[in-house]
Amino acid sequence: MNKVVANAQEAIKGIENGMTLLVGGFGLCGIPENSIHALVKSGVKNLTCISNNAGVDDFGLGLLLNNHQVKKMVSSYVGENAEFERQMLSGELEVELIPQGTLATRCLAAGYGMPAVFTPAGVGTEVAIGKEVRNFNGKDYLMEYAFDAPFAIVKAWKGDTDGNLIYRETARNFNPLMAMAGKITIAEVEELVPAGSLDPDHIHTPGIYIHRIFQGEKYEKRIEQRTVRKK
Amino acid sequence: MPLDKNGIAKRIAKEVKDGSYVNLGIGIPTLVANFLPEGVNVVLQSENGLLGMGPFPFEGEEDPDLINAGKQTITTVPGSAFFDSAMSFGMIRAGKVDLTILGAMEVSENGDIANWKIPGKMVKGMGGAMDLVASAKNIIVAMQHVNKAGESKLLPECTLPLTGIRCVKKIVTELAVLDVLPEGGFRLLERAPGVSVDEIRKATAGKLIIEGDIPEMQITN
């Protein structure tokens, strides 16, 4: 079993024009920075990116947007990104906005081998248009399908050479879910350690879900909203 | 005098029960945490994957891995727990979160809420709001009574794309505290200090129900 690849460039091999990618992170927290940089360099185009947010103008998935490499975004929240909003309102970029919990659960369903789930989020709103509604115990639910994506790209704090992953604090967010949902999942980690050196009780994502792993060259970990109090 | 943002947050803080799990939306709702009465201890849920959200970090102690759903740097309190986004919305959907406080652009007299999109002008997305309003046991809306153009945000029917239907239980604005009756209508419960029932009536486009004398809000601390 050899899952370790040398770098981000190596890891994203096989991602081609027009493909759908699941990309972990929440805002700029826990995003696969190195893989995104490699995708920008690769010039791959017409991507559909499923990710909670779209980064900011000059970081995260915003870099791919600025480079016009993204055809469609599937996200729950896209505020705080001027270029994204411009491309969306002008029609250059196709955008599907879905509730955050629905996004998470559609990943979960894929990773759990379930074709669809029922959720009340969006009942009676435009999110429900075209979707099957089922009533359980007097309450309406929308049927939402599991995502079907050839690649997922996630970021973890620590990983071992077998692909077992541990996330840190709120940088966990969508990463374990997207890791489960990809047909091929790429994990980049801050620290790659030999298999056997992580406590099995502490693993968040078992290595079975991970196909390629590498230690990111550099992590900027940009903060989107720096809020502090005085000592 | 109408309340300022902190005033609205202070009034909402009185609604929060000791020992509850609470999700606070971005904006005025976030301020509520600053005004919880003494003896009221709650666990704040941040839907990006944290129970036990604490205050902003001290300068120089910001951690890029530790943010709230508004992407602000935060801290944890003792007893906190991290989890992934599916579990986060799992606990919301399963009704484990006792109270959701969020902002709104419009609320209708049957409890519908709109807060994520102005077609052709502004599209931020619903984030976790649709999940929260579809499942929360109790929803309090914190908002201005009228928009910047002077139009009422308490309407017979929402004009903007909906976030959820028949879900809002209570509204606190700079002018009033109102609840939304199951059969429809905004029932006026309290007036902001010095604000008349007439002023509230003028600022409310939806059906306003006024029963008896309406007391002034009691806001301390």
Side-chain angles (χ1 to χ4, degrees):
Chain A
M1 187 182 304
N2 188 18
K3 299 185 177 186
V4 180
V5 294
N7 52 39
Q9 206 183 331
E10 194 85 2
I12 63 159
K13 270 194 182 153
I15 297 182
E16 290 165 8
N17 294 345
M19 277 189 171
T20 297
L21 311 178
L22 292 152
V23 184
F26 184 98
L28 300 179
C29 184
I31 58 171
E33 297 181 22
N34 292 274
S35 302
I36 291 170
H37 289 305
L39 284 170
V40 171
K41 259 192 206 156
S42 80
V44 63
K45 283 195 173 63
N46 292 322
L47 296 171
T48 293
C49 291
I50 304 169
S51 192
N52 189 56
N53 313 91
V56 293
D57 284 339
D58 59 347
F59 202 59
L61 288 179
L63 295 170
L64 285 173
L65 287 166
N66 282 351
N67 224 14
H68 299 277
Q69 291 175 265
V70 183
K71 181 185 69 178
K72 182 179 178 183
M73 282 297 310
V74 180
S75 303
S76 86
Y77 189 82
V78 294
E80 279 77 66
N81 187 327
E83 175 63 13
F84 185 105
E85 202 160 340
R86 190 197 65 73
Q87 287 188 20
M88 174 169 59
L89 292 173
S90 72
E92 284 166 63
L93 178 72
E94 202 182 324
V95 179
E96 186 183 346
L97 288 166
I98 61 175
Q100 198 171 120
T102 302
L103 179 62
T105 311
R106 289 177 67 187
C107 293
L108 189 81
Y112 277 21
M114 302 184 296
V117 289
F118 289 94
T119 172
V123 166
T125 75
E126 63 181 55
V127 163
I129 294 169
K131 288 177 184 160
E132 184 178 335
V133 179
R134 286 275 287 274
N135 189 286
F136 297 96
N137 305 316
K139 184 168 172 167
D140 284 340
Y141 295 78
L142 301 181
M143 186 165 79
E144 298 278 3
Y145 291 102
F147 284 121
D148 181 13
F151 280 94
I153 308 175
V154 303
K155 189 255 165 184
W157 178 41
K158 287 182 182 180
D160 71 19
T161 51
D162 278 352
N164 296 303
L165 303 179
I166 296 175
Y167 308 91
R168 184 170 177 271
E169 299 177 338
T170 55
R172 189 180 320 183
N173 57 63
F174 283 87
N175 282 300
L177 309 166
M178 293 192 166
M180 293 194 299
K183 290 216 172 54
I184 296 174
T185 293
I186 299 160
E188 61 169 82
V189 298
E190 287 179 54
E191 191 186 348
L192 183 64
V193 298
S197 39
L198 298 175
D199 183 339
D201 264 334
H202 293 169
I203 304 293
H204 295 131
T205 296
I208 191 167
Y209 286 115
I210 305 301
H211 306 86
R212 302 173 189 173
I213 189 167
F214 70 98
Q215 183 171 310
E217 200 181 326
K218 181 180 132 234
Y219 284 95
E220 186 180 332
K221 291 200 181 184
R222 205 183 284 187
I223 291 174
E224 205 165 329
Q225 306 275 345
R226 188 178 300 274
T227 46
V228 295
R229 67 191 147 133
K230 289 251 175 335
K231 271 191 197 180
Chain B
M1 215 179 69
L3 302 175
D4 61 7
K5 285 180 178 182
N6 281 321
I8 295 174
K10 277 181 194 172
R11 176 59 191 82
I12 292 177
K14 289 174 65 180
E15 302 284 321
V16 181
K17 292 192 179 69
D18 184 37
S20 51
Y21 291 94
V22 182
N23 181 291
L24 302 176
I26 297 164
I28 299 173
T30 306
L31 300 172
V32 173
N34 301 336
F35 302 113
L36 293 173
E38 212 164 305
V40 173
N41 293 301
V42 302
V43 179
L44 298 178
Q45 200 245 21
S46 189
E47 66 266 26
N48 56 320
L50 168 64
L51 274 168
M53 178 168 60
F56 293 151
F58 290 119
E59 246 174 305
E61 292 176 10
E62 311 92 280
D63 178 349
D65 288 336
L66 185 49
I67 62 168
N68 64 16
K71 286 118 187 172
Q72 299 171 310
T73 47
I74 47 155
T75 56
T76 56
V77 296
S80 62
F82 296 113
F83 36 85
D84 65 51
S85 300
M87 183 176 281
S88 181
F89 285 96
M91 61 185 71
I92 288 165
R93 212 178 288 121
K96 307 294 182 188
V97 175
D98 301 298
L99 175 62
T100 291
I101 303 170
L102 78 176
M105 297 172 187
E106 295 177 349
V107 176
S108 79
E109 63 191 32
N110 65 352
D112 295 352
I113 178 172
N115 72 353
W116 70 284
K117 183 179 184 180
I118 303 173
K121 272 193 201 157
M122 185 284 292
V123 184
K124 285 188 186 300
M126 63 292 279
M130 281 195 183
D131 307 272
L132 282 158
V133 301
S135 299
K137 280 183 275 188
N138 192 11
I139 299 173
I140 300 177
V141 165
M143 67 174 191
Q144 301 298 317
H145 215 100
V146 295
N147 64 20
K148 282 177 190 143
E151 298 156 343
S152 178
K153 295 168 71 171
L154 286 79
L155 304 171
E157 271 179 61
C158 291
T159 63
L160 296 170
L162 295 176
T163 306
I165 54 170
R166 290 184 287 280
C167 53
V168 176
K169 303 278 192 293
K170 196 168 252 185
I171 305 163
V172 179
T173 74
E174 78 280 21
L175 303 179
V177 181
L178 313 102
D179 62 2
V180 181
L181 297 178
E183 65 271 25
F186 302 109
R187 180 169 59 181
L188 183 58
L189 299 175
E190 297 173 21
R191 301 173 286 123
V195 170
S196 71
V197 169
D198 223 38
E199 283 171 77
I200 296 163
R201 190 181 285 126
K202 276 185 193 136
T204 309
K207 183 179 172 191
L208 186 67
I209 296 152
I210 303 161
E211 293 163 347
D213 281 345
I214 306 299
E216 272 191 9
M217 295 182 203
Q218 299 298 313
I219 297 171
T220 45
N221 81 2

